Amino acid sequence: MTKHVYTFGAGQAEGKADMKNLLGGKGANLAEMNLIGVPVPPGFTITTEVCTMYNEKGQQATFDLIKPEVEAAVALVEKLTGTEFGSKENPCLMSVRSGARASMPGMMDTVLNLGMNDDAVEGIAKKSGNPRFAWDSYRRFVQMYGDVVMEMKPASKEEHDPFEEIIDQLKEEKGIALDTQFTTEDLQELVKRFKAAVKKVTGKDFPTDPWEQLWGSVAAVFNSWNNDRAILYRRLEQIPDEWGTAVNCQAMVFGNMGSNSGTGVAFTRDAATGEDIFNGEYLIDAQGEDVVAGIRTPQEITIEGSKKWAALQGVSEEERASKYPSLEEAMPEMYKQLNETQQKLEDHYSDMQDLEFTIQEGKLWLLQTRNGKRTGSAMVNIAVDMLEEGRIDEKTALQRIDAAKLDELLHPVFDTEAMKAANVLAKGLPASPGAATGQVVFFADEANKYPEAVLVRVETSPEDLEGMHIAKGILTARGGMTSHAAVVARGMGKCCVSGAGNVKINYKTRVMTIDGKEFKEGDWISLNGSTGEVYEGKVATMDPELSGNFAKIMDLADKFTRMTVRTNADSPADAQVARDFGAQGIGLCRTEHMFFEGERIKAMREMILAKTEVDRRKALDKLLPYQREDFEGILEAMAGYGVTIRLLDPPLHEFVPHEEANQKEMADEMGISVEEVKALVEDLHEFNPMLGHRGCRLGNTYPEITEMQARAIIEAAVNLKQKGVDARPEIMVPLIGTVKELKLQADIIHATAKKVFEEKGAECSYMVGTMIEIPRAAVTADKVAEVAEFFSFGTNDLTQMTFGYSRDDAGKFLPIYIEKGILKNDPFQVLDQEGVGQVVKMGVDRGRSTKPNLKVGICGEHGGEPSSVMFCDSVGMDYVSCSPYRVPIARVAAAQANIK
C-alpha cells in the first residue's frame, strides 16, 4: 500500500534528506534534523503525491484516502508531546505549513496555533499560567485562519488588511502603539471582533472543531499551490507545475510566551555577499510570521550584526544596547546553542543554510533549515570559499552555480564619481545588492507603468511578486534583512533597500514623504542595495568589476567543459567584450547590420535600385571596401578563433524607407523622384517576408552579392595573414532548404576565393558551411553535409518554422498558452526539446552520418539559456554561441552539462 504520511519526532523519522521529491524540501529536512539530533517539534508530512491526487481526484476522495494515516500521525504527536488534540484541559496545538521540493518562500499558505477555540484557550491559559500568551495565540489563529482558509482579504489594493484595521482601531481606543502593549482583556476583545468580522464578511461562523480546522488548513495549503503568486513564482524559477507541494503539520512551539521566548530567522553565511559570518534577526515575545512580515522591525542575532545595524540606522551604542540588544547579549545561552546548531547544520549539508527557530521559555527549537537563497555574488563566493575550505570538491562547486544567476554580476553599478555628488534621502538596510534607478510606483500591479520603476511599499507581501519581478528595485519602509522583500529580492537578484524608517508612505494619495520632502508617483529615485542608501533622482552607472572568485569559477568551467562557447557579435567592440568574458570565437556575425551606417546605406540602396547586373556590380564595388574593413576588424579581434560570418540574410525591403518623409530623403540622396522610391518599395513588398526573397535565395538570384561578400571576407583574411594575424573565417550560407541551394552558393564562394588568392599571390584557410533553420534542411542533413563543412543551427527561425509561430506576432497568444499549460515555456527563450530539439538532433545525426567530424554549433539566442545549452551538449554539438554578456552563463552551463 502506498504511504502518504511520514512522521518525525524525538530523534526518529520515517523520511530523510534525499526524499525531497516526495516530502518536499521542508519535510525532508525536518526528518533529517531529527536524525542528526537537532531539536525539532514532532509532526508529520503529507506527501507531494497527495497534492497531485488532490488536484486530480478532488478534496473529498483524497481526504477519505489519507484520513486513517493522518489520524495515526496526530496520535503520535499527542504521545510525544503529552497533549491531546481537541482536549479542553490539555490541548495539542499545531502548525500547518507548505513545503515544495524547491524552495518557494512565502508563496504558499501557513496556519499557526491550530486547535484553538474558546475551551482550548482557557486550558492553555491555566496550563501555562499565562493567560495573555493564550489569548495572543488565539487572536493570531483567528486572524491567520480567517485570512488563509476563509479568505478574509482587503477589499482593494488601497485598503488595509481587515484584521489589521481592527487591531489599529483598538490600539487607538486604548492609546497604545505596539501589539505587545495589549492586555489579556484587549486580546479577548480582538478575538471577539475578529470572529464578528469573519461572520459579517463570509456569512460563516468561525470553526471551533480542531479536526475541521486541520482539514481546512491542509486544503488551503494544497489550494495555495495553484494561487496566482505561486504559479508566477514557478514560472520565474522554472519549477514544474506537476511537482506539487507537501504539507507539514507540527506541534506548536511558542515564541510569544514572554520575555524568555522569541523567534527568528538566521543564515549561516551572509546571503548578500557570501561572507562566512553567522547572521540573522529575532524578536522577543513573538511568533515566526512577525519576523518575515516586516510588521515589527526585528533585532540582530549577533553583537557584530547589531552594531552594523545601529551604524546604518544612526542609532547610538547606548540606545542600541538598551533598546535593541542582540540575541547574543539578551539570551547568551540561547545564542550559544543556536550558534552551535547553525554550524552543525552547515557542516552536515555542506552549504549555506537558512534557518527558522523558536525559543520557548528558554528552550531552542528548529522549525526549518534549507539551502539559503543568495545573490549571484554570494553564490560565487560561497562556492569558491567552500571549495578552498575543503568542504566540497571542484565538480560540486561548479554545480552549486546557478548559471542564469551569473547575469546579476554583469549588470552596471553606480559610478563612484556620480555617487559623491548624489543627494542621500534616506538610509535603510542593504537587503539585496545592486544599483537601481527608476520612477516611483506604490502598487505591485502597476510596476509596468514605467519602463524603469522602483516599487515603494510599507512592506511587501507574496502578492507583490509580479511587481517585484518587473521593477528595477524595491524600497520598503519596514522590515529587516530577513523580511519577505529582502529574501525574495535576493533570490531574484533584485536591488532592495528595506526598513528605511524615515520613509513615510500614503497609498491613498500615492505620496512618499522623506524628512518632509514629498515624492509623487513617477518621480525618479535611485537605490544602492549594497549600502542601503536612497538617492534623489537618477545616478549614473558604470560596468562592474568582476571578482577573483568569478574568474576561479570560469577557470573551473573551462576545466570540465567539452563544448566551447562562442559569441554573436557584429563589431570588433562586441567581439572584444565577449573575448574578455572567455568567448572562443564568433558563432554568428550578421553582415546586414554593417549596411545601415552613413554612405553604406546609400550604396546598398543604389544596388537595390539597379536595373542591370552591371549597375548592381558598380554599387557593390562601393560596398566592398566597407565590408572588407569590417571583417578585418572582427577577424583580428577574434584572432586564433573561428569567426562564422553569415552572408546577407534579410529581405531587401528592410533596406528601403517605408515612411514618406524618409522616402523623400532617399529620393533626394539618390537623385530620383519620390514616385520612383515608392514604386521600388511597392515592388519589394512581400506578403510573408520571413518566408520570402531572403537568405540564400537572394544570393542565388543575384550571385554578385555573394561574390562581393565572399571577396571582402577572403581579402580581409589574406590581408591579416600577411600581417601575421591568425584569421579563421567561416562563411555561412543562410536559409537553405535544399543541398542545391547551398552548392550554388558554395561554388561562387570557392571560385571567388580562388580569384583572390591568384590576385594577391597568397592564400588563407577558410570554411564554407550553412545555417540549419528550415526543417527540410535538418531532414536532408545527410545530403547537405556532402557540401557543408559545418552546421550552425539557427534555432530562432527553426522554432518559428517548426511551430508555425511568427516570433513577431506570438506575443499575442504565447502568454495565454503558458498560463493554460499548453506550453511550459516561451519556445523562443527556452529551446523546445520535445519538438524543435528533435529536429536539431536529427540534423546533427544525419549530418554526421555523412561527415563524422562535421563541426556543429548553435547560434540562436538559445545558446545562452542554461537548459538549452545542456541539450546542445547532449546531442554532441561542438559549441554554442550567444550574446557577449551571456557568455559566462553559457560557459558554466556547458561545463555542468558535461559533468552530468
Side-chain angles (χ1 to χ4, degrees):
M1 192 177 98
T2 304
K3 187 174 175 62
H4 301 110
V5 177
Y6 287 72
T7 60
F8 54 84
Q12 303 292 312
E14 293 179 323
K16 52 183 180 174
D18 62 5
M19 294 172 69
K20 283 186 180 178
N21 291 3
L22 185 65
L23 303 179
K26 189 176 293 180
N29 286 334
L30 286 169
E32 187 76 6
M33 285 195 289
N34 262 280
L35 295 174
I36 64 170
V38 172
V40 173
F44 57 92
T45 301
I46 303 170
T47 69
T48 56
E49 291 176 350
V50 177
C51 182
T52 303
M53 189 191 314
Y54 180 93
N55 289 325
E56 289 174 357
K57 296 186 178 178
Q59 180 174 316
Q60 194 58 51
T62 303
F63 286 178
D64 287 346
L65 181 68
I66 67 169
K67 188 178 180 185
E69 288 183 77
V70 171
E71 288 174 345
V74 169
L76 178 65
V77 174
E78 290 175 324
K79 181 181 172 187
L80 293 175
T81 57
T83 58
E84 187 182 341
F85 195 56
S87 162
K88 294 182 181 180
E89 292 77 27
N90 187 25
C92 174
L93 300 189
M94 302 191 79
S95 65
V96 178
R97 291 181 170 93
S98 63
R101 67 170 92 166
S103 176
M104 295 174 60
M107 296 305 119
M108 289 178 287
D109 289 330
T110 295
V111 176
L112 304 181
N113 307 300
L114 187 144
M116 268 293 192
N117 57 31
D118 291 348
D119 293 327
V121 72
E122 297 298 344
I124 294 277
K126 189 174 178 183
K127 183 182 173 186
S128 66
N130 187 342
R132 190 195 177 282
F133 144 71
W135 281 95
D136 183 48
S137 300
Y138 194 7
R139 75 91 188 161
R140 288 170 181 273
F141 172 59
V142 177
Q143 182 172 355
M144 198 172 255
Y145 193 94
D147 173 26
V148 168
V149 183
M150 304 185 79
E151 299 191 330
M152 277 272 291
K153 308 283 186 188
S156 71
K157 66 187 178 186
E158 284 91 359
E159 298 300 316
H160 209 30
D161 177 273
F163 293 109
E164 291 296 332
E165 281 188 344
I166 295 169
I167 289 172
D168 291 344
Q169 188 182 342
L170 189 60
K171 280 181 182 172
E172 203 173 310
E173 290 172 22
K174 298 290 179 180
I176 59 175
L178 301 173
D179 293 4
T180 48
Q181 294 173 295
F182 281 131
T183 63
T184 304
E185 291 72 26
D186 294 336
L187 295 166
Q188 289 171 338
E189 178 62 24
L190 276 182
V191 169
K192 183 178 165 187
R193 293 188 189 185
F194 281 179
K195 284 184 171 183
V198 167
K199 175 75 173 177
K200 183 179 177 184
V201 172
T202 69
K204 298 174 187 172
D205 289 320
F206 192 87
T208 57
D209 175 14
W211 282 103
E212 183 186 343
Q213 295 170 358
L214 178 61
W215 290 113
S217 299
V218 171
V221 172
F222 281 148
N223 290 335
S224 69
W225 176 253
N226 286 318
N227 69 33
D228 290 344
R229 63 180 186 263
I231 290 169
L232 175 65
Y233 189 85
R234 288 200 296 276
R235 200 174 300 153
L236 296 176
E237 298 292 319
Q238 296 190 350
I239 298 168
D241 289 337
E242 58 269 21
W243 279 5
T245 182
V247 178
N248 299 287
C249 304
Q250 273 180 286
M252 278 295 299
V253 287
F254 300 97
N256 58 327
M257 290 189 76
S259 59
N260 63 348
S261 301
T263 187
V265 175
F267 297 89
T268 60
R269 299 191 182 216
D270 190 315
T273 66
E275 188 182 357
D276 186 7
I277 182 166
F278 180 43
N279 66 99
E281 297 171 328
Y282 80 104
L283 284 169
I284 295 285
D285 194 17
Q287 287 195 342
E289 76 272 17
D290 298 340
V291 180
V292 294
I295 292 164
R296 282 168 63 188
T297 298
Q299 292 155 231
E300 294 290 320
I301 285 175
T302 66
I303 293 175
E304 184 181 353
S306 183
K307 288 183 175 179
K308 278 185 187 174
W309 170 86
L312 284 168
Q313 297 290 342
V315 173
S316 71
E317 173 58 17
E318 185 182 356
E319 186 182 0
R320 181 205 69 79
S322 61
K323 287 186 181 177
Y324 311 107
S326 65
L327 183 69
E328 191 174 356
E329 295 161 293
M331 297 184 180
E333 181 54 35
M334 287 296 94
Y335 171 78
K336 181 171 176 287
Q337 287 181 33
L338 180 63
N339 193 26
E340 288 168 358
T341 302
Q342 66 91 12
Q343 194 59 57
K344 180 177 187 174
L345 287 167
E346 182 173 281
D347 291 346
H348 181 74
Y349 287 99
S350 296
D351 201 355
M352 186 264 276
Q353 295 298 292
D354 167 359
L355 320 171
E356 290 180 21
F357 66 90
T358 287
I359 298 165
Q360 178 177 313
E361 295 187 307
K363 178 164 175 55
L364 176 69
W365 296 95
L366 267 286
L367 305 180
Q368 173 167 297
T369 191
R370 61 188 172 195
N371 293 340
K373 297 278 183 188
R374 61 203 75 179
T375 63
S377 174
M379 171 184 71
V380 167
N381 291 336
I382 290 169
V384 172
D385 288 349
M386 287 195 160
L387 172 63
E388 293 177 348
E389 289 162 15
R391 291 166 176 257
I392 56 177
D393 61 21
E394 289 181 331
K395 287 184 178 179
T396 304
L398 200 52
Q399 287 172 313
R400 288 275 170 87
I401 303 299
D402 176 353
K405 278 187 80 68
L406 291 172
D407 190 43
E408 293 171 30
L409 306 184
L410 310 174
H411 289 310
V413 295
F414 284 134
D415 183 271
T416 44
E417 289 305 309
M419 291 262 287
K420 291 175 187 172
N423 177 29
V424 178
L425 295 170
K427 197 156 188 181
L429 300 173
S432 184
T437 293
Q439 291 170 273
V440 171
V441 294
F442 295 102
F443 298 102
D445 63 353
E446 297 178 8
N448 57 3
K449 191 178 269 191
Y450 306 107
E452 295 180 338
V454 171
L455 180 62
V456 178
R457 302 285 291 165
V458 175
E459 70 258 344
T460 65
S461 73
E463 279 78 13
D464 296 329
L465 180 68
E466 185 168 14
M468 294 172 75
H469 175 65
I470 294 167
K472 298 292 182 189
I474 300 145
L475 170 64
T476 68
R478 293 204 297 236
M481 295 290 283
T482 59
S483 65
H484 175 268
V487 171
V488 173
R490 284 196 293 270
M492 287 180 169
K494 189 79 63 176
C495 172
C496 177
V497 173
S498 65
N502 59 339
V503 171
K504 308 298 176 197
I505 297 162
N506 187 323
Y507 289 139
K508 289 195 172 175
T509 60
R510 300 185 180 222
V511 170
M512 167 177 72
T513 307
I514 305 176
D515 295 335
K517 183 164 184 147
E518 288 191 350
F519 293 84
K520 297 182 174 64
E521 186 176 87
D523 287 345
W524 287 85
I525 61 170
S526 298
L527 308 179
N528 188 331
S530 304
T531 65
E533 289 175 321
V534 181
Y535 308 110
E536 188 170 4
K538 299 180 185 181
V539 178
T541 58
M542 63 182 190
D543 288 334
E545 288 182 21
L546 298 173
S547 71
N549 283 346
F550 180 88
K552 287 175 184 176
I553 290 294
M554 292 299 115
D555 289 344
L556 269 186
D558 290 343
K559 182 174 180 178
F560 289 103
T561 196
R562 182 193 62 79
M563 287 193 303
T564 55
V565 176
R566 295 187 175 197
T567 190
N568 303 337
D570 308 326
S571 70
D574 285 348
Q576 192 58 53
V577 168
R579 189 162 187 159
D580 292 343
F581 280 137
Q584 296 181 35
I586 290 176
L588 176 63
C589 172
R590 309 168 189 86
T591 56
E592 59 270 11
H593 290 182
M594 303 166 176
F595 291 133
F596 284 99
E597 295 170 20
E599 294 298 312
R600 302 173 185 215
I601 191 66
K602 279 191 195 176
M604 187 68 182
R605 286 170 174 172
E606 275 180 40
M607 190 271 292
I608 295 168
L609 277 167
K611 299 281 194 295
T612 67
E613 183 184 330
V614 173
D615 288 342
R616 264 194 303 280
R617 286 187 180 277
K618 279 184 188 172
L620 288 166
D621 285 345
K622 292 181 185 177
L623 285 170
L624 175 66
Y626 295 127
Q627 285 266 276
R628 185 173 54 232
E629 184 186 346
D630 289 332
F631 295 141
E632 282 185 16
I634 287 171
L635 286 164
E636 187 166 13
M638 206 50 84
Y641 294 118
V643 175
T644 302
I645 300 168
R646 183 178 72 187
L647 299 180
L648 189 64
D649 184 45
L652 295 178
H653 79 85
E654 289 194 11
F655 298 97
V656 295
H658 295 268
E659 301 294 324
E660 191 160 348
N662 295 336
Q663 288 176 347
K664 186 174 186 313
E665 192 179 317
M666 177 179 166
D668 293 342
E669 279 179 0
M670 311 299 290
I672 58 175
S673 69
V674 176
E675 284 66 32
E676 283 176 279
V677 173
K678 285 183 176 176
L680 172 68
V681 172
E682 184 62 34
D683 187 48
L684 292 174
H685 171 75
E686 293 181 301
F687 289 105
N688 192 339
M690 197 199 94
L691 300 177
H693 196 188
R694 55 171 284 221
C696 68
R697 299 158 198 167
L698 277 174
N700 283 325
T701 312
Y702 305 120
E704 53 274 19
I705 296 177
T706 302
E707 276 180 44
M708 181 277 288
Q709 290 202 290
R711 175 173 282 278
I713 294 166
I714 299 298
E715 285 184 356
V718 171
N719 291 348
L720 289 171
K721 186 180 178 185
Q722 290 175 328
K723 291 196 312 190
V725 176
D726 182 9
R728 301 183 186 181
E730 299 168 357
I731 302 172
M732 182 162 71
V733 178
L735 212 73
I736 68 122
T738 73
V739 67
K740 288 184 178 178
E741 287 178 304
L742 174 61
K743 181 144 191 340
L744 275 174
Q745 290 289 283
D747 288 348
I748 295 167
I749 294 163
H750 291 311
T752 303
K754 190 178 176 188
K755 277 186 197 169
V756 172
F757 296 160
E758 288 169 358
E759 291 164 12
K760 289 193 167 280
E763 294 188 5
C764 70
S765 60
Y766 68 95
M767 296 175 78
V768 177
T770 189
M771 201 165 182
I772 305 287
E773 48 197 325
I774 292 177
R776 192 182 190 280
V779 173
T780 60
D782 50 340
K783 299 278 193 303
V784 175
E786 292 171 4
V787 178
E789 295 174 88
F790 66 87
F791 284 177
S792 178
F793 284 87
T795 49
N796 297 344
D797 272 1
L798 190 59
T799 297
Q800 292 197 89
M801 297 203 201
T802 305
F803 271 102
Y805 297 163
S806 161
R807 189 170 38 160
D808 297 327
D809 302 310
K812 295 171 184 172
F813 61 85
L814 274 182
I816 297 161
Y817 268 36
I818 291 166
E819 190 179 313
K820 291 189 171 182
I822 297 169
L823 295 172
K824 285 187 178 178
N825 299 292
D826 180 340
F828 294 108
Q829 293 178 13
V830 178
L831 186 68
D832 163 48
Q833 297 182 20
E834 290 178 356
V836 179
Q838 295 314 300
V839 177
V840 170
K841 186 177 187 306
M842 181 196 302
V844 174
D845 293 345
R846 292 190 178 183
R848 284 187 173 153
S849 70
T850 299
K851 200 169 277 180
N853 294 323
L854 182 73
K855 183 153 76 171
V856 180
I858 182 176
C859 63
E861 270 309 301
H862 297 110
E865 193 281 315
S867 69
S868 307
V869 172
M870 291 190 177
F871 174 80
C872 293
D873 182 81
S874 75
V875 298
M877 286 195 187
D878 298 298
Y879 68 86
V880 296
S881 186
C882 56
S883 55
Y885 282 92
R886 293 192 75 78
V887 166
I889 296 168
R891 287 172 68 191
V892 169
Q896 290 172 335
N898 197 40
I899 290 171
K900 287 179 181 176

